[in-house]
Amino acid sequence: MTLLALAIAPGLAICLYIFLKDIYNKEPKRLLFFSFMLGALSIIPPYFIETSLLHTFDHSISGTATFAFIVVALSEELSKFLVLRFYCYTRSSFDEPLDGIVYSVMVSMGFATLENINYVFIHGYTTAFVRMFLSVCRRCCILYHCHPAQPQAHQAAPAAFKANV
């Protein structure tokens, strides 16, 4: 039970922090929950892609790097992007720049939380503490999440708000 709590806590803490920072136009909690859950489910396609292509690369440094940067990164980020683009971005509540950050963090934290549960149950307490500060927080990098907010926010934002963006 402690391992599960350690695996889930970082993702939920980051989600709560971002949710509380959205003070002007709160997002519906139900949509945020579904975004989080779809983010967790978005781990399924990369799992099958990575598992099926794992044996096509040799175990040299260049093979491992190619697998990590091409197969793993591309499949995971594309999977999360598709959830963000086709579920979150189409919602009418996605109407200000901060919404791109809020929804993309929810999707990323859903993915990271499920991934974290897997790693923590396999490798134990040390991995839980290391991933708490490195892997889960890395997925919440604000620079990565700012881009989805811009196009729709400029269409829907009031004129006074557009000047500040």
Side-chain angles (χ1 to χ4, degrees):
M1 190 58 130
T2 305
L3 280 177
L4 182 62
L6 287 172
I8 293 174
L12 292 182
I14 291 170
C15 286
L16 182 63
Y17 174 78
I18 295 297
F19 175 74
L20 294 175
K21 287 295 180 184
D22 187 15
I23 58 175
Y24 298 110
N25 186 10
K26 290 270 190 204
E27 302 311 306
K29 292 174 187 159
R30 188 171 145 208
L31 287 178
L32 295 177
F33 175 75
F34 283 128
S35 297
F36 183 88
M37 295 310 290
L38 286 173
L41 290 175
S42 72
I43 206 168
I44 296 170
Y47 171 77
F48 286 112
I49 292 169
E50 293 165 19
T51 304
S52 65
L53 294 177
L54 179 62
H55 301 292
T56 60
F57 293 90
D58 60 2
H59 294 291
S60 66
I61 292 175
S62 62
T64 303
T66 303
F67 180 75
F69 289 108
I70 303 295
V71 177
V72 174
L74 188 62
S75 66
E76 290 181 2
E77 298 307 320
L78 181 62
S79 181
K80 290 183 286 185
F81 172 76
L82 292 174
V83 171
L84 183 64
R85 174 63 183 94
F86 292 109
Y87 178 74
C88 303
Y89 193 73
T90 59
R91 303 293 169 210
S92 62
S93 60
F94 194 114
D95 57 357
E96 64 178 358
L98 189 58
D99 293 351
I101 296 169
V102 171
Y103 283 111
S104 59
V105 166
M106 295 301 158
V107 171
S108 290
M109 288 300 101
F111 188 99
T113 299
L114 192 59
E115 183 181 54
N116 204 33
I117 290 169
N118 180 42
Y119 280 113
V120 168
F121 275 109
I122 291 171
H123 301 291
Y125 288 99
T126 304
T127 301
F129 288 110
V130 169
R131 289 185 61 82
M132 184 181 297
F133 295 106
L134 297 178
S135 297
V136 176
C137 294
R138 174 185 60 85
R139 295 200 182 273
C140 190
C141 179
I142 298 300
L143 293 176
Y144 167 74
H145 297 291
C146 286
H147 179 71
Q150 297 304 318
Q152 191 167 0
H154 280 289
Q155 296 169 3
F161 188 72
K162 285 182 187 177
N164 294 330
V165 174

